[in-house]
Each structure stands twice: as structure tokens, then as C-alpha cells.
Amino acid sequence: MSISSRFAVGVHILTLIEFNKDGVSSSEYLAESVNTNPALIRKIIGMLKKADLVDVHPGIAGTKLARDLSDITLLDVYKAVNVVQDNKLFSMHENPNPKCPVGRNIQEAIMPIFSTAQRALEKVLGNVTLEDIVADIVEKEQIN
Amino acid sequence: MSISSRFAVGVHILTLIEFNKDGVSSSEYLAESVNTNPALIRKIIGMLKKADLVDVHPGIAGTKLARDLSDITLLDVYKAVNVVQDNKLFSMHENPNPKCPVGRNIQEAIMPIFSTAQRALEKVLGNVTLEDIVADIVEKEQIN
DNA sequence: CCTTATTGTAATTATTATAATTACAGGTAA
DNA sequence: TTACCTGTAATTATAATAATTACAATAAGG
């Protein structure tokens, strides 16, 4: 199965807040661009807030970025929206048979490889910032 | 969410077939070590067979490796058991709003990054063979 | 040829996560 | 006090996994 779209939506939200930085980015406004409902947006924004990526306050319309664009990586967003936990990207079968030499060692043999693979994936995300995404979209808009 | 344990089970199965190469690896035998039921094992073996990783025949008990240990990577197993499709590890929200500059470009902006991350993960799996896993387990057994 | 055992596969059920939606309490500003 | 927004819980629909049961098709051995 695949990693929740919360991650892609989180990136979308943050990017749009930047594009709309002179306006008010309410959950309804953001939901319209993402094409989903405001409650889901607020849930994700709550996670981004907990990770100190955005500023938002009850009763006050709009969300703002809490940091500079160049200081937010996709890895920050990925961690914030909690789509994959540490060392849990790959699931293992629980309870292999301890009476079998393979059964009693397979988890320890595989685990480090799974960790390495997951870290390789996350490293790629850590090398891309929101600034890159925004620049890419600005460029795409200029071409068309 | 996480990647199906079919992958870990597939690796377990192939490793155990090697350990038991002088015996008969029936689905029941394999299921006992994995600690699941034979039908699931047979389903996974069917996938491994389709990928030419094992030899198995209806009515004849036992499964054998179809290639040398050193010629089967974890990536081969991962692809065989079909846990993640190309470019589908990360899911995107469908139908972002095309009237919004961010909505109409976000998918194309994010997609290449997701692809790169997925490939980085898969590259790690491609660098490990079943021979490595078997050697690791043999070593762990000798120590204990 | 017939019995027995195994593989291949379909169908069923329970579990889990996601995503969409509704509803409403709590907070803020005008 | 009104109007609007955020925060959050509850509900529903959907989808994938994993476990399980069942059985047809196949092959070996007596």
C-alpha cells in the first residue's frame, strides 16, 4: 500500500500559503485548491502546527508559515504529518517460529536493511525545500 | 501506512528454502516457520514463481530456488510480491483545483521528488542479495 | 487404476488505515 | 452580541491486508 496523501496535501498547503502570503489562507480557501473539505485541512494544519511549521490561532482566520521557505524541507513535512513512523515503512510478519534457525533470526537480519532503505528515501526528502517547490511552480507558470 | 509483510515473508520463504535445500519445502513446512497458514504461503510462492525466482509444480511437494542465491536481490523479491507499484509508493491527492496556480502545478512539481525517493529506497534493496541474508543468519547462529 | 498428498486459487471474514463528511464547542474580532 | 473561524470528535464509505476455509486440478506410489 502507499504512503498517505496527507504528505502531498501538506506540501500543497504550505506552498499555497506562500503563494497567498498577502492574503488570508483560511481552511476553506486551502480546501478549495486541494479539492477536499476544510475539516481535513484543519487536521493537517494542526499537525503542521505541532511541528512548528505554521502559525495558526483559534478564532483567527488564516495560517502563516512559521519559518522561512528555505528552512522547511519535505522531510520536515513528512515527519510532521506522521505518514510513516521510524522503522515502520516496511512491515514484518510478527512471531516467526523460534524453533527454526531462519524463523528466529530473520527479523534481525532484515531489519537493518529496511532501516537503511527507509533512511535513503527520507534523505532525498531532506534535500528538497519548499523554496525549491515554489520556484519550480513559478517557473512552470511562466512557461505556460 | 506501511509496505505489506508479503515482502518480508517472501524473503523468509526463500531463505528457508535455501536452509532446507536437501529437504522438501512444502507450503505447510514453510508456513510453520513463518507462523501463518499454508494458503498465504502458496499465494506468495505463486508470485515468486511468476518472477522466475522459484520452481514449483502442482501436485509435487516442495519448492526450489530457480537461481543462485547470489543472483537474487531483495529488490527482485520486492518486485515479485508486488507490494509497491512504480511511482506509487507515495499517494497524491487527485483533482487539485486547476484554477489555482498551485493546484494546477503541484502534482508535476512533487512527482519527480517522490520518484527519486522511491528509487533511492529500491536501490538499497537491489544491493542486498539472498546470499547476504543467509550468510548473516548463519553467522548469528554460530555466535549463539 | 485408485488412493493420498500437494499445489493453485477462489471466496469469506476480521482488521486496519484512509479519506470524506457532519457537527459542534471554543475562541476572536467587529 | 453577532458572525466567522479554528479545533476536534464522531460517523461513514472505501480499500488493502491478512487469516482462514474450501475445493478443483495435478502427480506420485502402491
Side-chain angles (χ1 to χ4, degrees):
Chain A
M1 210 180 169
S2 53
I3 293 170
S4 167
S5 67
R6 274 205 308 280
F7 178 30
V9 172
V11 174
H12 186 148
I13 288 171
L14 294 169
T15 304
L16 183 51
I17 291 171
E18 171 65 17
F19 267 78
N20 188 43
K21 62 181 163 189
D22 297 329
V24 175
S25 297
S26 66
S27 61
E28 191 181 341
Y29 170 82
L30 296 169
E32 206 163 300
S33 172
V34 171
N35 197 22
T36 183
N37 60 81
L40 179 64
I41 298 292
R42 290 198 291 271
K43 188 177 171 189
I44 294 174
I45 285 182
M47 292 172 154
L48 298 174
K49 179 186 184 179
K50 197 174 289 185
D52 288 320
L53 300 181
V54 297
D55 286 326
V56 56
H57 304 281
I60 306 176
T63 302
K64 297 287 187 182
L65 295 181
R67 299 192 208 158
D68 194 82
L69 269 186
S70 62
D71 195 35
I72 301 179
T73 70
L74 294 203
L75 182 58
D76 293 326
V77 182
Y78 164 96
K79 297 256 191 203
V81 298
N82 203 31
V83 281
V84 179
Q85 290 164 306
D86 269 5
N87 270 339
K88 297 279 172 144
L89 176 55
F90 295 91
S91 56
M92 302 260 302
H93 49 305
E94 312 285 321
N95 313 319
N97 190 339
K99 291 178 192 159
C100 166
V102 175
R104 66 173 164 259
N105 289 296
I106 192 72
Q107 292 181 323
E108 277 189 57
I110 292 181
M111 199 107 71
I113 300 161
F114 284 0
S115 293
T116 302
Q118 181 171 347
R119 279 198 307 272
L121 173 142
E122 292 171 355
K123 182 154 182 282
V124 171
L125 301 180
N127 287 334
V128 180
T129 68
L130 279 186
E131 192 175 34
D132 300 326
I133 302 289
V134 169
D136 189 15
I137 292 181
V138 166
E139 188 187 345
K140 286 187 199 314
E141 280 290 299
Q142 282 169 347
I143 291 171
N144 303 321
Chain B
M1 211 178 169
S2 51
I3 294 170
S4 168
S5 65
R6 272 204 309 280
F7 178 31
V9 172
V11 175
H12 185 149
I13 288 171
L14 294 169
T15 304
L16 183 50
I17 290 171
E18 171 66 18
F19 266 78
N20 188 44
K21 63 182 161 188
D22 297 328
V24 175
S25 296
S26 66
S27 62
E28 191 180 340
Y29 170 81
L30 297 169
E32 206 164 301
S33 172
V34 172
N35 196 23
T36 183
N37 61 80
L40 180 63
I41 298 292
R42 290 198 291 270
K43 188 177 171 189
I44 294 174
I45 284 181
M47 293 173 153
L48 298 174
K49 179 185 185 181
K50 197 174 288 183
D52 289 319
L53 300 181
V54 297
D55 286 326
V56 57
H57 304 280
I60 306 177
T63 301
K64 296 286 187 183
L65 295 182
R67 299 193 210 158
D68 194 81
L69 270 187
S70 62
D71 195 36
I72 301 179
T73 69
L74 294 203
L75 182 60
D76 294 326
V77 182
Y78 165 95
K79 297 257 191 203
V81 298
N82 202 30
V83 281
V84 178
Q85 290 163 306
D86 268 5
N87 269 341
K88 297 277 172 147
L89 176 54
F90 295 92
S91 56
M92 302 260 302
H93 49 305
E94 312 286 320
N95 312 319
N97 191 339
K99 291 179 190 160
C100 166
V102 175
R104 66 173 163 260
N105 291 296
I106 192 73
Q107 292 180 323
E108 276 189 57
I110 292 180
M111 199 106 72
I113 300 160
F114 284 0
S115 293
T116 303
Q118 181 170 346
R119 280 198 306 272
L121 172 141
E122 292 170 356
K123 183 157 183 279
V124 171
L125 301 180
N127 287 334
V128 180
T129 69
L130 279 187
E131 192 174 35
D132 300 327
I133 303 289
V134 169
D136 190 14
I137 292 181
V138 167
E139 188 186 346
K140 285 186 201 313
E141 281 290 300
Q142 282 169 346
I143 291 173
N144 303 319

